[in-house]
Amino acid sequence: MENKISFFEKNLSVWVLICMVLGVFISLVLPQIPSSLNALQIAGINLPTSILLWFMIFPMLLKIDFQSIKNIRNNPNGLYSTWISNWFFQPITMFLIAGMFFYYIYAGILPADVSAEFFTGAIILGTAPCTAMVFVWSKLTNGNPAYTVVQTATNDLIILILFVPWVSLLLGVSDIEVPYSTLIASTVIFVLIPLVLSVLVRHFVIKSKGEEYLYGTVIAKFDKFTMIGLLLTLVLIFSYQGMAILSNPIYIALISIPLIIQAFLMYFISTKLTQLFKLPKDISAPAILISTSNFFELAVVVAIATYGIDSLVVLVCTVGVLVEVPLMLFLVKLINKKNGENNE
């Protein structure tokens, strides 16, 4: 796979800003649109958001050759680093930093119920490590595409096992009610089902047309849907939360601070881990960025399905989108500068 960077990926932060402004504008001028879309639900799961999430995730999963997991034993250190960062340090650091800010530092600013919702949103966000955007961050840092595939494949499989237990444990410790059924349903709908379908599609396309046809035709066409899905998802998310953003601009700042601190802490921890495991640059860079970012698409959908579109839990996950993309692009530049690389 070639690390060719698209115009969209080079200007990702600009697109995010445009989508944010457009979404907030829609919520302000045409509030009936997000209201009508929010009413389209099945078992509490928002259909428009779900469809767009599938548009974005499925093409990404199509790129993953799960048979490559067999090659783990040849060079496992990059995976060890990623797994430890994603599934040990990231949930725990988010738990500690979110708890410190929302329950102690902000104690005189936020009501107790608001603090609890903010904390819940941060836990859902911090327990969903990056999947959908992994290939973007890898390409922007000249990462090893074959190894990134294995990192992503194993991460997707681990999400199926550990996402619900981690969320349940960290919220349960904080005496917050945990809706197990919704968490499990969301994981099945947005990770397991598209993952299984992608494996089946890969198998039958390669069997009938060959691997070159899969990458050159099928995935090339689906890639367009990924970009459309991401842009429309961002517009939809910000249209749902537009009034909350406009009504409580101070909330955006209060949420952003701990999320940014946690991201930089994870960047430091994951960098040290990659050094400890003596990883080469093309494996360490994606490993660091995967561990620093979040699967914000899954977090938003789970928050909407569990707590409702108007919940402050959803607002935290939405701010996570707002913070993550420009922050990740900054970290990409930082890593490339350290490695003496240029992706222009």
Side-chain angles (χ1 to χ4, degrees), residues 238-291:
F238 285 110
S239 71
Y240 286 157
Q241 286 291 316
M243 295 310 297
I245 292 172
L246 292 173
S247 302
N248 304 287
I250 186 64
Y251 281 1
I252 309 304
L254 294 178
I255 295 168
S256 298
I257 293 170
L259 295 187
I260 292 171
I261 291 174
Q262 195 264 351
F264 275 106
L265 178 58
M266 280 307 306
Y267 173 81
F268 173 79
I269 291 173
S270 55
T271 298
K272 292 301 179 184
L273 276 173
T274 60
Q275 292 171 354
L276 179 66
F277 284 109
K278 299 179 180 179
L279 301 181
K281 292 187 294 185
D282 63 340
I283 293 178
S284 67
I288 292 167
L289 294 171
I290 291 170
S291 304

Coordinates of all heavy atoms in Angstrom, one line a residue, residues 238-291:
F238 N -22.3 18.0 15.2 CA -22.3 19.4 15.6 C -23.7 20.0 15.5 O -24.0 20.9 16.2 CB -21.2 20.2 14.9 CG -19.8 19.9 15.3 CD1 -18.9 19.2 14.5 CD2 -19.4 20.3 16.6 CE1 -17.6 18.9 15.0 CE2 -18.1 20.0 17.0 CZ -17.2 19.4 16.2
S239 N -24.5 19.5 14.6 CA -25.9 20.0 14.5 C -26.7 19.5 15.7 O -27.5 20.3 16.2 CB -26.5 19.5 13.2 OG -26.8 18.2 13.2
Y240 N -26.4 18.3 16.1 CA -27.1 17.8 17.3 C -26.7 18.6 18.6 O -27.6 18.8 19.4 CB -26.8 16.3 17.5 CG -27.4 15.3 16.6 CD1 -26.8 14.1 16.4 CD2 -28.6 15.6 15.9 CE1 -27.4 13.2 15.5 CE2 -29.2 14.7 15.1 CZ -28.6 13.5 14.9 OH -29.2 12.6 14.0
Q241 N -25.5 19.0 18.6 CA -25.0 19.6 19.9 C -24.8 21.1 19.7 O -24.2 21.7 20.6 CB -23.6 19.0 20.2 CG -23.7 17.6 20.8 CD -24.4 17.6 22.2 OE1 -24.0 18.4 23.0 NE2 -25.3 16.7 22.4
G242 N -25.3 21.7 18.6 CA -25.0 23.1 18.3 C -25.5 24.0 19.4 O -24.8 24.9 19.8
M243 N -26.8 23.8 19.9 CA -27.3 24.7 20.9 C -26.6 24.5 22.2 O -26.4 25.5 22.9 CB -28.8 24.3 21.1 CG -29.7 24.6 19.8 SD -29.4 26.3 19.2 CE -29.9 27.3 20.5
A244 N -26.2 23.3 22.5 CA -25.4 23.1 23.8 C -24.1 23.9 23.7 O -23.6 24.5 24.7 CB -25.2 21.6 24.0
I245 N -23.5 23.9 22.5 CA -22.2 24.6 22.3 C -22.4 26.1 22.4 O -21.6 26.8 23.1 CB -21.6 24.2 21.0 CG1 -21.1 22.7 21.0 CG2 -20.4 25.1 20.6 CD1 -20.7 22.2 19.6
L246 N -23.4 26.6 21.8 CA -23.7 28.0 21.8 C -24.2 28.5 23.2 O -23.9 29.6 23.6 CB -24.8 28.4 20.8 CG -24.3 28.2 19.3 CD1 -25.5 28.4 18.4 CD2 -23.2 29.2 18.9
S247 N -24.9 27.6 23.9 CA -25.5 28.0 25.2 C -24.4 28.0 26.3 O -24.5 28.7 27.3 CB -26.6 27.1 25.6 OG -27.7 27.1 24.6
N248 N -23.5 27.1 26.2 CA -22.5 26.9 27.2 C -21.1 26.9 26.7 O -20.4 25.9 26.8 CB -22.7 25.6 28.0 CG -24.1 25.5 28.5 OD1 -24.5 26.1 29.5 ND2 -25.0 24.6 27.9
P249 N -20.6 28.0 26.1 CA -19.3 28.0 25.5 C -18.2 27.7 26.5 O -17.1 27.2 26.2 CB -19.1 29.5 24.9 CG -20.2 30.3 25.6 CD -21.3 29.3 25.9
I250 N -18.4 28.1 27.8 CA -17.5 27.8 28.9 C -17.3 26.3 29.0 O -16.2 25.8 29.4 CB -17.9 28.5 30.2 CG1 -16.8 28.3 31.3 CG2 -19.2 27.9 30.7 CD1 -15.5 29.0 30.9
Y251 N -18.4 25.5 28.8 CA -18.3 24.1 28.9 C -17.2 23.5 27.9 O -16.5 22.6 28.3 CB -19.6 23.4 28.6 CG -20.6 23.5 29.8 CD1 -20.2 24.1 31.0 CD2 -21.8 22.9 29.7 CE1 -21.1 24.2 32.1 CE2 -22.7 22.9 30.8 CZ -22.4 23.6 31.9 OH -23.2 23.6 33.0
I252 N -17.2 24.1 26.8 CA -16.2 23.6 25.7 C -14.8 23.7 26.2 O -14.0 22.8 26.1 CB -16.4 24.4 24.4 CG1 -17.9 24.4 24.0 CG2 -15.5 23.8 23.3 CD1 -18.5 23.1 23.8
A253 N -14.5 24.9 26.8 CA -13.1 25.1 27.4 C -12.9 24.2 28.6 O -11.8 23.6 28.6 CB -13.0 26.6 27.8
L254 N -13.8 24.0 29.4 CA -13.7 23.2 30.6 C -13.4 21.7 30.2 O -12.7 21.0 30.9 CB -14.9 23.3 31.6 CG -15.1 24.6 32.2 CD1 -16.3 24.7 33.1 CD2 -13.9 25.0 33.1
I255 N -14.1 21.2 29.2 CA -14.0 19.9 28.7 C -12.7 19.7 28.0 O -12.0 18.7 28.2 CB -15.1 19.5 27.8 CG1 -16.5 19.4 28.6 CG2 -14.9 18.1 27.2 CD1 -17.7 19.3 27.7
S256 N -12.3 20.7 27.2 CA -11.1 20.6 26.4 C -9.8 20.4 27.2 O -8.9 19.6 26.8 CB -11.0 21.8 25.5 OG -12.1 21.9 24.6
I257 N -9.7 21.1 28.3 CA -8.5 21.1 29.0 C -8.0 19.8 29.5 O -6.9 19.3 29.2 CB -8.5 22.1 30.2 CG1 -8.7 23.6 29.7 CG2 -7.3 22.0 31.1 CD1 -9.0 24.6 30.8
P258 N -8.9 19.0 30.2 CA -8.4 17.6 30.6 C -8.2 16.7 29.4 O -7.3 15.8 29.5 CB -9.5 17.1 31.5 CG -10.7 18.0 31.2 CD -10.2 19.3 30.8
L259 N -9.0 16.9 28.3 CA -8.8 16.0 27.2 C -7.4 16.2 26.5 O -6.8 15.3 26.1 CB -9.9 16.2 26.1 CG -11.3 15.8 26.6 CD1 -12.3 16.0 25.4 CD2 -11.4 14.4 27.1
I260 N -7.0 17.5 26.4 CA -5.8 17.8 25.8 C -4.6 17.4 26.7 O -3.6 16.8 26.2 CB -5.7 19.4 25.6 CG1 -6.7 19.8 24.5 CG2 -4.2 19.8 25.2 CD1 -6.8 21.3 24.3
I261 N -4.7 17.6 28.0 CA -3.7 17.1 28.9 C -3.5 15.6 28.9 O -2.4 15.1 28.8 CB -4.0 17.6 30.4 CG1 -3.9 19.1 30.5 CG2 -3.1 16.8 31.4 CD1 -4.3 19.6 31.8
Q262 N -4.7 14.9 28.8 CA -4.6 13.4 28.7 C -3.9 13.0 27.4 O -3.1 12.0 27.4 CB -6.0 12.8 28.9 CG -6.0 11.3 29.2 CD -6.2 10.5 27.9 OE1 -6.5 11.0 26.8 NE2 -6.0 9.2 28.1
A263 N -4.2 13.7 26.3 CA -3.6 13.3 25.0 C -2.1 13.5 25.1 O -1.4 12.6 24.6 CB -4.2 14.2 23.9
F264 N -1.6 14.6 25.6 CA -0.2 14.8 25.7 C 0.5 13.8 26.7 O 1.6 13.4 26.4 CB 0.1 16.3 26.1 CG 0.1 17.2 25.0 CD1 -0.9 18.1 24.8 CD2 1.1 17.2 24.1 CE1 -0.9 19.0 23.8 CE2 1.2 18.1 23.0 CZ 0.1 19.0 22.9
L265 N -0.2 13.5 27.8 CA 0.3 12.5 28.7 C 0.5 11.1 28.0 O 1.5 10.4 28.1 CB -0.6 12.3 29.9 CG -0.1 11.3 30.9 CD1 1.3 11.6 31.5 CD2 -1.1 11.2 32.1
M266 N -0.6 10.8 27.2 CA -0.5 9.5 26.4 C 0.6 9.5 25.4 O 1.2 8.5 25.1 CB -1.9 9.2 25.8 CG -2.9 8.6 26.8 SD -2.2 7.1 27.7 CE -1.7 6.1 26.3
Y267 N 0.8 10.7 24.8 CA 1.9 10.9 23.8 C 3.2 10.6 24.4 O 4.1 9.9 23.9 CB 1.8 12.3 23.2 CG 3.0 12.6 22.3 CD1 3.0 12.2 21.0 CD2 4.1 13.3 22.8 CE1 4.1 12.5 20.1 CE2 5.2 13.6 22.0 CZ 5.2 13.2 20.6 OH 6.2 13.5 19.8
F268 N 3.4 11.1 25.6 CA 4.7 10.9 26.4 C 4.8 9.5 26.8 O 5.9 8.9 26.6 CB 4.7 11.8 27.6 CG 5.8 11.6 28.5 CD1 7.1 12.1 28.3 CD2 5.7 10.8 29.7 CE1 8.2 11.9 29.1 CE2 6.8 10.6 30.5 CZ 8.0 11.1 30.2
I269 N 3.8 8.9 27.3 CA 3.8 7.5 27.7 C 4.1 6.5 26.6 O 5.0 5.6 26.6 CB 2.5 7.0 28.5 CG1 2.4 7.8 29.8 CG2 2.5 5.5 28.7 CD1 1.1 7.6 30.5
S270 N 3.3 6.7 25.5 CA 3.5 5.8 24.3 C 4.8 6.0 23.7 O 5.4 5.0 23.1 CB 2.3 6.0 23.3 OG 2.2 7.3 22.9
T271 N 5.4 7.2 23.7 CA 6.7 7.5 23.1 C 7.8 6.7 23.9 O 8.7 6.1 23.3 CB 7.0 9.0 23.1 OG1 6.1 9.7 22.3 CG2 8.4 9.2 22.6
K272 N 7.6 6.8 25.2 CA 8.6 6.0 26.1 C 8.5 4.5 25.9 O 9.5 3.8 25.9 CB 8.4 6.4 27.6 CG 8.7 7.8 27.9 CD 10.2 8.1 27.6 CE 10.5 9.6 28.0 NZ 11.9 9.9 27.6
L273 N 7.3 4.0 25.7 CA 7.1 2.6 25.4 C 7.7 2.2 24.1 O 8.4 1.1 24.1 CB 5.6 2.3 25.4 CG 4.9 2.0 26.8 CD1 3.4 1.8 26.6 CD2 5.6 0.8 27.5
T274 N 7.6 3.0 23.1 CA 8.2 2.6 21.8 C 9.7 2.6 21.9 O 10.4 1.9 21.2 CB 7.7 3.6 20.7 OG1 8.1 4.9 21.0 CG2 6.2 3.5 20.5
Q275 N 10.2 3.6 22.7 CA 11.7 3.6 22.9 C 12.1 2.4 23.7 O 13.2 1.8 23.4 CB 12.1 4.9 23.6 CG 11.9 6.1 22.8 CD 12.1 7.4 23.6 OE1 12.2 7.4 24.8 NE2 12.0 8.5 22.9
L276 N 11.3 2.0 24.7 CA 11.6 0.8 25.5 C 11.7 -0.5 24.7 O 12.5 -1.3 24.8 CB 10.6 0.6 26.6 CG 10.7 -0.6 27.6 CD1 12.0 -0.4 28.4 CD2 9.5 -0.7 28.5
F277 N 10.7 -0.6 23.7 CA 10.7 -1.7 22.8 C 11.6 -1.6 21.6 O 11.6 -2.5 20.7 CB 9.2 -2.0 22.4 CG 8.3 -2.6 23.4 CD1 7.4 -1.9 24.1 CD2 8.5 -3.9 23.8 CE1 6.5 -2.4 25.0 CE2 7.7 -4.5 24.8 CZ 6.7 -3.8 25.4
K278 N 12.3 -0.4 21.5 CA 13.2 -0.2 20.4 C 12.6 -0.3 19.0 O 13.1 -1.1 18.2 CB 14.4 -1.1 20.6 CG 15.2 -0.9 21.9 CD 16.4 -1.9 22.0 CE 17.1 -1.6 23.3 NZ 18.3 -2.6 23.5
L279 N 11.5 0.3 18.8 CA 10.7 0.2 17.6 C 11.3 1.2 16.5 O 11.7 2.3 16.9 CB 9.3 0.6 17.8 CG 8.5 -0.3 18.8 CD1 7.0 0.2 18.9 CD2 8.6 -1.7 18.4
P280 N 11.4 0.8 15.3 CA 11.8 1.6 14.2 C 10.8 2.8 14.0 O 9.6 2.6 14.4 CB 11.9 0.7 13.0 CG 11.0 -0.4 13.3 CD 11.0 -0.6 14.8
K281 N 11.2 3.8 13.3 CA 10.3 5.0 13.2 C 9.0 4.7 12.5 O 8.0 5.3 12.8 CB 11.1 6.1 12.4 CG 12.3 6.7 13.1 CD 12.8 7.9 12.4 CE 13.5 7.5 11.1 NZ 14.2 8.6 10.4
D282 N 9.0 3.9 11.5 CA 7.8 3.6 10.7 C 6.8 2.8 11.4 O 5.6 2.7 11.0 CB 8.1 3.0 9.3 CG 8.8 1.6 9.4 OD1 9.3 1.3 10.5 OD2 8.7 0.9 8.5
I283 N 7.2 2.2 12.6 CA 6.3 1.5 13.4 C 5.9 2.3 14.7 O 4.8 2.3 15.1 CB 6.8 0.1 13.8 CG1 6.9 -0.8 12.5 CG2 6.0 -0.6 14.9 CD1 7.6 -2.2 12.8
S284 N 6.9 3.0 15.2 CA 6.7 3.7 16.4 C 5.8 4.9 16.2 O 4.9 5.2 17.1 CB 8.0 4.2 17.0 OG 8.6 5.2 16.2
A285 N 5.9 5.6 15.1 CA 5.0 6.8 14.9 C 3.5 6.4 14.9 O 2.8 7.0 15.6 CB 5.4 7.5 13.6
P286 N 3.1 5.5 14.1 CA 1.7 5.1 14.1 C 1.3 4.6 15.5 O 0.2 4.8 16.0 CB 1.6 4.0 13.1 CG 2.7 4.2 12.1 CD 3.8 4.7 13.0
A287 N 2.2 3.8 16.2 CA 1.9 3.3 17.5 C 1.6 4.4 18.5 O 0.6 4.3 19.3 CB 3.0 2.4 18.0
I288 N 2.4 5.4 18.4 CA 2.2 6.6 19.3 C 0.9 7.3 19.0 O 0.1 7.6 20.0 CB 3.4 7.6 19.2 CG1 4.7 7.0 19.7 CG2 3.1 8.9 19.9 CD1 5.9 7.7 19.3
L289 N 0.6 7.5 17.8 CA -0.6 8.3 17.4 C -1.9 7.4 17.6 O -2.9 8.0 18.0 CB -0.5 8.7 15.9 CG 0.6 9.7 15.7 CD1 0.8 10.0 14.2 CD2 0.3 11.0 16.4
I290 N -1.8 6.1 17.4 CA -3.0 5.3 17.7 C -3.3 5.4 19.2 O -4.5 5.4 19.6 CB -2.7 3.8 17.3 CG1 -2.6 3.7 15.8 CG2 -3.8 2.9 17.9 CD1 -2.1 2.3 15.3
S291 N -2.3 5.3 20.0 CA -2.5 5.3 21.5 C -2.9 6.7 22.0 O -3.5 6.8 23.1 CB -1.1 4.9 22.2 OG -0.7 3.7 21.7

